[in-house]
Amino acid sequence: MATDQIRLLLVEDVPQVVQYVRGLLNSQAAIKLLEVMTDGGRVVAQVAELRPDLVIVDALLQGRVKGHHVAQQLKDSGANVPVIVLTIPQQPVEADPDRGIHAVLSMPFSGYDLTKAIRDVTQAFESSAESGRGRAIALYAPKGGVGTTTLAFNLAAAFGAAGRRVILVDGSLQFGDIRALLRVPADAPSILDLPTDRIAESDLNDVVWRDPSGMDILLAPPRIEQAEMVSVRDVDKVISMLRRVYDLVVIDTACHLNDITLALLDTSDPIVEIVTFDSGTIHSTITMADTFRAIGYPASRVRYLLNRADSTGGLDPNDLVRALGRVPEHQVRSDGQVIATANNAGEPFVLSRPEAIASQDVQRIAAQLLEVIRTPVVAGARR
Ligand SMILES: Nc1ncnc2c1ncn2[C@@H]1O[C@H](COP(=O)(O)OP(=O)(O)OP(=O)(O)O)[C@@H](O)[C@H]1O
Ligand SMILES: [Mg+2]
């Protein structure tokens, strides 16, 4: 979810509960209660009209259409909106997205419980395939020089070759690694050229860089100090909008974990974290895993990609597996000659040398990731 307000529709016929929820949300500028409805039979039509980001329904709603039917009807209508069901401990309800119930909140709940559930559900829904939106995949490594930029560029090319509409985002805002890799002219448009207040899809045409390989790229600013002009809010908005237009948003991130990198990781599911057989990298990766746990990312959100997988540098592969707590999900073998030549020419090796070892590995990873995210091809909104 972008940092924009979350627009909420409440379906509740008990005035005391309405008053309670209103009271809890009053102090919350980030959540806007659009309307309170008491008639479950009108919810589908009203959702089509108001397009809320989230619906909260009381499971005990009386009337023609009962609470759990509202959730099911919304699901069946293709409204593409997540639903939180309110209930009481005596009447437990199971969360079941297949029945249109994305989360359950049992009364009594605190303001913290309510706002956390609202945020978590809208965020999870936005990054899920169910929302019908494109998916963002960030490539990240806590250590530099491990191949993040090279792999982001080539994975994006492989997704494109697989028929997906893809954009590569240069998320290393200070150094513009993609800019450097492609030796883009300094006056090429960048993320800075997008209006920050209301970004429209039509603005993209002027701002997206079309690489000779056919790839769409949103470049980082041309100068280091300009990175500061991009806020977390801008990043949230831009990625959210790109996910409406593209099937896949592949993001190359910088290794320092600042607010911008965190915002980019927050919007991505999965995060592909690059590791190599290097003791410093492994140490940083373990430290990072602790941080991801602390900020609430489930372990499954991160997929490890072992780059230069056949260059162990004298390390025992089992030690790496023990350190990561699992076998890395993906592997790319060393292919120095092919990769250096392609990088120097600013070409994706998956396209210029599709038969090369590294290309085969990247193509396989692209297919595996598509399988994992089961990304829908975004209908409409094509340029
Ligand atoms: N599988 C590989 N085999 C051989 N060389 C590789 C492989 N992957 C990356 N490289 C080389 O590693 C170097 C670093 O790659 P890259 O710039 O993509 O890394 P990075 O993690 O983005 O670095 P930075 O920290 O500068 O952002 C490049 O010279 C690239 O050619
Ligand atoms: Mg890089």
Side-chain angles (χ1 to χ4, degrees), residues 206-372:
D206 303 329
V207 173
V208 167
W209 173 259
R210 298 268 145 63
D211 182 63
S213 69
M215 194 189 301
D216 283 1
I217 302 176
L218 183 62
L219 292 165
R223 297 175 57 87
I224 292 180
E225 69 276 14
Q226 290 172 327
E228 283 176 16
M229 296 162 77
V230 182
S231 70
V232 166
R233 194 181 161 81
D234 296 336
V235 163
D236 277 338
K237 276 192 193 170
V238 168
I239 302 293
S240 175
M241 198 254 309
L242 293 178
R243 288 179 56 223
R244 279 204 297 275
V245 177
Y246 291 88
D247 303 325
L248 283 160
V249 181
V250 176
I251 307 167
D252 177 35
T253 59
C255 48
H256 44 266
L257 201 60
N258 58 13
D259 286 353
I260 297 284
T261 307
L262 265 177
L264 291 169
L265 296 180
D266 263 349
T267 183
S268 299
D269 191 6
I271 296 161
V272 176
E273 188 173 343
I274 319 298
V275 289
T276 55
F277 280 113
D278 166 83
S279 54
T281 304
I282 296 171
H283 177 263
S284 307
T285 307
I286 299 170
T287 312
M288 207 55 237
D290 285 342
T291 306
F292 282 158
R293 239 190 321 276
I295 58 181
Y297 290 176
S300 58
R301 184 154 174 190
V302 173
R303 299 179 68 84
Y304 289 120
L305 188 162
L306 177 59
N307 193 18
R308 302 169 180 258
D310 48 351
S311 312
T312 59
L315 294 179
D316 179 351
N318 290 324
D319 286 345
L320 176 80
V321 171
R322 262 192 295 278
L324 300 181
R326 62 186 201 245
V327 176
E329 283 78 7
H330 308 289
Q331 301 201 354
V332 174
R333 286 166 286 178
S334 296
D335 211 345
Q337 190 59 38
V338 166
I339 295 182
T341 309
N343 278 3
N344 285 335
E347 289 170 357
F349 54 79
V350 283
L351 300 186
S352 60
R353 295 286 306 277
E355 78 301 340
I357 286 175
S359 302
Q360 291 172 25
D361 290 346
V362 170
Q363 282 151 3
R364 191 185 55 251
I365 294 168
Q368 289 166 337
L369 287 172
L370 287 176
E371 185 61 30
V372 169

